[in-house]
Amino acid sequence: MLRLNEAKKILEKYNQMHILKYYDELSEEEKANLLTQIESADFSVLESLDSSEEFGGKRGSFEPLGAVTADEIEKNHDAFSEVGLDAIRQGKAAAVLLAGGQGTRLGFDKPKGMYNMGVEHEVYIFQCLINNLLDVVRQAGAWIPLYIMTSEKNYGETAEFFREKNNFGYNGEYIKFFVQDMAVSTDCDGKVLMESKCSISMSPNGNGGWFSSIVRAGLLDEIKNKGVEWLNVFAVDNVLQRMADPAFLGAVILSGCQSGGKVVSKAAPDEKVGVLCLEDGKPSIVEYYEMTEEMRTRCEPDGTLSYNYGVILNYLFNVNKLEEIADNRMPIHVVKKKIPYMDETGEMIKPDEPNGYKFETLVLDMIHMQDSCLSYEVDRRREFAPVKNLSGVDSVDTARILLAENGVEL
Ligand code: UTP
């Protein structure tokens, strides 16, 4: 553990001495707790506040990237599926559920996956996802390893919920939980927020840390020993998400690409969705706010938008490539959020408005580290029902309509 003078050196460097304001009045145990936190926290993320890395740093030059369209997929569906199912039966695919987020927009005080989408029945978000994965298990006649990433904050509740619900019928031997790293959060002046006199406010460090957290949890060896070649990474909050989709897997394998991303055709040129494209000749995702008007409205000769394919956080990555890029530094995104904190008088405040910054790495930045990525178009009404808010756009309300349309009894 750090000694006090070592901790002071770190904090002076980053101009964060206020963290020790109450140090002298703490018990020995509390002192140790605080010093351990200072030792493990990555303060270097604070540098991104000065280097205007807010949008992931300076971007290169963008070009459109076409997709295997839904029509083409329909025509080749059986051939794609056959290759994918074969890979699944040989144990070459695993699924990685990203469930470490805090779901602040939904305003639900439990892990998002525990939200009940049902009206008359219990239909939890986790249940929707597991049911979709079970479809593939039945089709393949083989279990698919499922790795679930939680944060330190929601690990206990998530794991307990799966236990209580008997894994929603999934084979528990194929489910493994792992915990992602945490990062400090600050107020709007870049001062690290405190959660109490002896603890720094920490938040999950974004979904981009999933692979390094897998490695740190010691799961990579297991993955490789099992012969897994492809990891399908997906978000918890798309209740129509189809994981380890045999046709998607087969299409990526047959294409020879290093990675794949499920995409949907944009509903309108100004839809707020990141688009899979090329940046300096390599696959990349351009965020809606980074697109110029010209990019947003540009069309191909057949009339479709040139930047047409929005990502839905469902990617396939090759394990060999992931290992190769494991040590690459990922861009840090600074996001403004509501962060509970202890004020100068020692009182806990739960803000109603965003009051500070969190520092996150994002899985989408891994796409730019790949040499190639197959853009794979799916039907949004069948595979894209994000639950970000309680009502309005991308909400419980809109997702319920889509679930019902897809035959889920609510
Ligand atoms: P979001 O970007 O929607 O973040 O996550 P969030 O924290 O869940 O929700 P808001 O923004 O506070 O409302 C997209 C996906 O990435 C996961 C989430 O669980 C979700 O599946 N995620 C996000 C993590 O696993 N870890 C993180 O640190 C952040």
Side-chain angles (χ1 to χ4, degrees), residues 91 93-96 133 143-147 170 174-175 222 226 228:
V96 182
L133 194 55
W143 290 99
I144 298 156
L146 170 64
Y147 297 95
Y170 212 78
Y174 287 81
I175 298 183
E222 175 191 302
K226 279 189 171 146
V228 174

Side-chain angles (χ1 to χ4, degrees), residues 169-391:
Y170 212 78
N171 184 342
E173 282 172 31
Y174 287 81
I175 298 183
K176 286 261 162 76
F177 292 91
F178 64 102
V179 175
Q180 73 174 99
D181 294 333
M182 305 286 276
V184 295
S185 38
T186 71
D187 65 14
C188 294
D189 298 322
K191 290 282 181 221
V192 168
L193 291 168
M194 300 297 288
E195 230 165 41
S196 74
K197 291 180 180 178
C198 67
S199 68
I200 298 173
S201 163
M202 307 282 280
S203 335
N205 66 347
N207 55 32
W210 69 273
F211 189 67
S212 54
S213 300
I214 280 195
V215 174
R216 203 153 320 117
L219 291 172
L220 182 60
D221 286 343
E222 175 191 302
I223 286 170
K224 289 192 342 196
N225 291 341
K226 279 189 171 146
V228 174
E229 292 176 10
W230 295 96
L231 292 177
N232 181 201
V233 179
F234 60 97
V236 71
D237 48 20
N238 172 7
V239 285
L240 285 182
Q241 190 90 263
R242 310 230 48 116
M243 295 77 60
D245 175 348
F248 179 36
L249 179 61
V252 173
I253 293 174
L254 287 169
S255 74
C257 285
Q258 264 175 1
S259 62
K262 280 197 172 184
V263 294
V264 292
S265 270
K266 272 166 68 166
D270 57 357
E271 189 184 4
K272 291 183 173 167
V273 60
V275 168
L276 194 50
C277 63
L278 293 175
E279 179 184 355
D280 296 335
K282 289 182 81 183
S284 190
I285 288 147
V286 57
E287 288 290 356
Y288 66 91
Y289 47 76
E290 295 174 308
M291 290 218 277
T292 59
E293 187 58 19
E294 196 275 324
M295 284 169 80
R296 265 194 287 268
T297 51
R298 184 168 146 193
C299 286
E300 295 298 296
D302 67 358
T304 53
L305 290 171
S306 298
Y307 292 92
N308 186 41
Y309 298 110
V311 285
I312 59 171
L313 217 172
N314 188 323
Y315 302 109
L316 267 170
F317 290 106
N318 189 284
V319 175
N320 288 339
K321 182 67 184 177
L322 286 169
E323 273 196 280
E324 197 184 304
I325 61 172
D327 294 330
N328 289 15
R329 199 177 122 75
M330 293 192 65
I332 290 166
H333 297 252
V334 183
V335 262
K336 207 165 181 187
K337 293 224 174 172
K338 293 184 237 173
I339 309 163
Y341 68 104
M342 184 190 73
D343 73 7
E344 314 77 67
T345 63
E347 200 189 323
M348 272 315 286
I349 309 286
K350 226 179 157 188
D352 296 324
E353 293 300 322
N355 62 313
Y357 298 119
K358 290 186 179 178
F359 301 83
E360 300 188 338
T361 58
L362 302 179
V363 60
L364 58 82
D365 286 317
M366 277 186 172
I367 292 294
H368 195 44
M369 297 174 183
Q370 312 289 318
D371 295 331
S372 51
C373 179
L374 185 77
S375 188
Y376 182 92
E377 188 196 6
V378 297
D379 178 355
R380 66 194 297 150
R381 295 206 76 84
R382 294 190 52 213
E383 295 204 26
F384 190 43
V387 180
K388 298 287 183 194
N389 308 295
L390 208 49
S391 56

Side-chain angles (χ1 to χ4, degrees), residues 102-116 390:
Q102 290 183 299
T104 47
R105 283 170 286 173
L106 184 62
F108 179 55
D109 61 359
K110 294 189 168 65
K112 210 187 233 185
M114 288 173 67
Y115 193 86
N116 181 10
L390 208 49

